[in-house]
Amino acid sequence: MSQLLEKLANRVQGDLAFDAFSRGRYATDASLYQMMPHGVLSPKSEDDICAALDFAAEQRFPILPRGGGTSQCGQTVNEALVLDNTQYFNGILELDVANQRCVVRPGIVLDELNRALKPHGLWFPVDVSTASRATIGGMAGNNSCGGKSLRYGMMRDNVLSIDAFTAEGQKRKFGPVTSEKSPSYNEMSDDLLSLGAREALEIDARFPKIMRRVGGYNIDALVPKNTPQNLAHLLVGSEGTLAYSTAIELKLWPLVSDKVLGVCHFPTFYQAMDAAQHLVTLKPQGVELIDATMISLGRDIPLFRKTISDFVTGAPEALLLVEFAEENTSQNLPKLKQLEEMMGDLGFSWSGTEKSWGGVTLVTEINLQNDIAEFRKAGLNIMMSMKDAGKPVSFVEDCAVELPDLAKYTAGLTEVFDKHGTKGTWYAHASVGCLHVRPVLNLKLDQDVKKMRAIAEECFDLVAKYKGSHSGEHGDGLVRSEFHEKMFGTRMVESFREVKKLFDPEGLFNPGKIVDPPKMDDRTLFRYNPDYAVTNFDTGLDWSAWPGSAGGFQGAVEMCNNNGACRKLKGGVMCPSFRVTRKEQDLTRGRANTLRLAISGQLGPNALTSDQMAETMKLCVSCKGCKRECPTGVDMARMKIEVLSARAKEHGISLHDRMVAYLPRYAPWASRLATVANLRNTVPGLAKLLEKPTGFTASRDLPSWSSNPFKNTEVAQSEIPQAVLFADSFNRYFEPDNLRAAARVLNAARVPFVMASSPKGERPLCCGRTFLSAGLIDEAKTEAKRLVNALMPYVDKDIPIIGLEPSCLLTLRDEIPGLLPGKDAERLADKAKMLEEYIADQADNPDFKLPLKSPASKILLHGHCHQKALGVMSSIEKTLSRLPDTEVEIVETSCCGMAGAFGYGIDTHEISRKMAEADLAPAVRKADRDTLIVADGTSCRHQIADMTARKPIHVARLLEMALVE
């Protein structure tokens, strides 16, 4: 196969890969299936696509177009050549503001499109929950809907035309039917329209009369009607089985910025479902469901905890989020008033008891509305954050029924789940009768696979009883195509086959979807097939919170359900390397999939310690963005430590890694010889001479050693301390004035403190982070034990431990409990505070006084990734709010890109710079010269200084400047 694909490599300009690691990263989507592709091409042009199609025709080779890879039904997996449109084939070709239309490449992401449209007062309103990674091509292939389809319709309603290659390699424009077509096109068009006319009565009889019907092909678009039939609507929802889209013309809408939200609380799930039919009479933009399970799980996810506390009252069994966005914005608040009145008319009040308890929380503040929207969009992934072996499984999650039947349908489905000994999780679009319900099953167990089959059969019988649709939004794929005959009848399925034959006579476009599918419970196609197993092996960190082999490491890796939230290109932190390269390899999802395949033996022997695995992990900067922002809690930074550890044990470590890892050990000597140690930065040509042996790029100066490092004896040690100041290696030996500033701030606040000190005669304390960065877990444990032993006497007295360097201090909160599981490490983690956190915690302490003046009229603050990941940023804001007459602006950035030694590596420094150029460096350059640039992270400060010629300072220095003498 590889020799065959090498022939294609000579015909294309895009990236082509056919090694096992690359193929494995495209073997899964967000469904329960796994199919290993033959290769992956990221096309750069239509010429590449045409070459791939010619190759497929010559070799009878299946083709699979792919966008974000977030399908929940298996549409985007196949034994085929995968064409990933997201990396290059993703631009806007035309934008016609006056006529509210645009033409785009299929690989453009919805959020990226809407960011480009916003300055023109327009948007594309098919607002799917995966908007941060869903591509327009994928949405068209799936006939996506989103939460506002009640007002704006589905994808089909908003696609005007599609340019596409047919199976024989001809490019055609599919749109409204006219006579101005080529003879061959007219022949296809005539055949299709004849089919529509012939089957009009059958289509009318068998197609569900509801908005949310995306099963099968949209052959109702071929039925004669008063307006011209649009053949593009036949391609919409075809899941890449009919043609290969190259340009999609979209209908755009005026952007409505002002909206209001009413959060309706219900004491029972049934009552919420029954109320939906009444609430929609108020003509809201959307009505979205959140159930008690989602609320409970969301409270365990740091990213959503505060949001939930802000909009959920009491303990409802279900919420309906009712959104109004009237063109005349003055009508929004009256709509909320009508909603409150209707809830009262339905018998709900806050003063009610049991089944009459409930009411409406009014949300008019835009930031909270956005936070609630993000929580709701993360619904599936929140459900998937269960750490048990059983997970909510997508296979009957997409059914839609008429609103009057919704309560009875959900009650019936709950009875089906009860019968089979499981429960379902619920959320999504109550306004259109489409609820995403997923029974909790463990598909590694044959008995649960049998349950899945039985539940599917009974569920679809129930849907048919209510004349609903078995596919309401997510499409067919591998999981529901089999059931078309049950839903539509034999004659309709034959019509689907006829359409497929007209477009793709050789069956090369994404075979096995919509027509001629395999059985949905064919376990050979599952991600966890019957032979799936993970061999037990020793790990260095504690993974006991998860199930499975390797002490739970297996379960932690398998938490990735391929939802693709890490593919977002703006907002939050993760995944900074992907934002630069746009490669699946450089993505939390891509790395997690590679790990899962490696530890289960699917990538060959010793895959975990292989060079390919090292390459997979190379651009992970351990920002921990995924720890906070991945809805299922995939912590790739921690997983990388295990990979590095396994590789270090088998192959050892390089001089470069050794110099980084052992820095705290040799730092005292380097600082005594600072002039000599800094020669590399000052002697011309020396950096270049040392580049290859050390692995540090000559294009950057390394941090300069201080000849006057911080000594604990510089500050008076209190006999009755109220705080402990921990001096990390970076601030002690490189920027000691930060520690001196922190000591001065604590003294100004009259906080008696001591320095965290090692026993007399021993080297200074260290958190062990540098050792972890090289995978030297045993050495890190040694440092962690020394630190815990030294600090426990203070922890026992409930004294906080204060630090300045986020990557070091927050190691006490994150990595050390994983290195040394137990109560001592947990108690220490609870007491570890950044300086700003400690000050923020004193807000209600009348004895804490820190008089401050304004150090500058404006401050530009960049948060360290670990501060963001561990929820520290709000404390920084709270502390800086103490500064009078000072504007504080937080730069919305991902990782700065320096990430310890990452930005200094020979083969990573260019990526590091590109990370900074995404948001951080431009924001700093735009700042007025009088604006103070503030960043706690040592790496962050060096990156900013190197990239912008601005010299940022630590918050401790900022507070020192602001002290009132």
Side-chain angles (χ1 to χ4, degrees), residues 237-257:
S238 64
E239 302 185 354
T241 64
L242 299 182
Y244 197 107
S245 301
T246 59
I248 303 171
E249 183 183 12
L250 303 174
K251 175 184 178 182
L252 305 178
W253 293 73
L255 180 63
V256 179
S257 56

Side-chain angles (χ1 to χ4, degrees), residues 23 80 83 91 106 161 281 364 382 386 407 421 471 520 563 574 612 621 741 772 778 854 856 956:
R23 291 187 292 117
L83 272 66
S161 69
T281 63
T364 58
I382 291 170
M386 296 179 180
S471 291
M520 61 89 76
N563 67 75
M574 73 167 181
Q612 296 99 316
V621 292
L772 292 175
D778 289 341
S854 175

Side-chain angles (χ1 to χ4, degrees), residues 846-913:
D847 297 327
F848 183 87
K849 302 186 187 304
L850 185 63
L852 299 171
K853 62 188 178 186
S854 175
S857 59
K858 184 173 182 180
I859 293 167
L860 189 65
L861 174 67
H862 167 68
H864 187 283
C865 293
H866 296 181
Q867 290 176 308
K868 297 171 185 175
L870 296 177
V872 178
M873 292 303 295
S874 60
S875 295
I876 303 177
E877 294 180 69
K878 189 173 181 180
T879 292
L880 295 188
S881 69
R882 287 173 168 263
L883 300 172
D885 304 318
T886 306
E887 178 188 352
V888 179
E889 178 186 349
I890 298 178
V891 189
E892 292 297 326
T893 63
S894 180
C895 179
C896 75
M898 187 60 82
F902 180 86
Y904 297 109
I906 291 175
D907 53 355
T908 53
H909 70 95
E910 290 183 2
I911 295 292
S912 165
R913 288 184 169 96

Side-chain angles (χ1 to χ4, degrees), residues 386-418:
M386 296 179 180
K387 292 182 178 179
D388 298 333
K391 295 285 193 298
V393 180
S394 298
F395 64 103
V396 295
E397 89 293 347
D398 206 31
C399 302
V401 297
E402 293 277 14
L403 283 181
D405 299 322
L406 188 59
K408 289 180 288 185
Y409 164 70
T410 55
L413 196 51
T414 300
E415 291 177 6
V416 172
F417 295 160
D418 290 342

Side-chain angles (χ1 to χ4, degrees), residues 742-751 848-852 963-964:
R744 190 174 176 213
V745 169
L746 291 174
N747 284 329
R750 301 185 183 279
V751 176
F848 183 87
K849 302 186 187 304
L850 185 63
L852 299 171
L963 291 176
V964 175

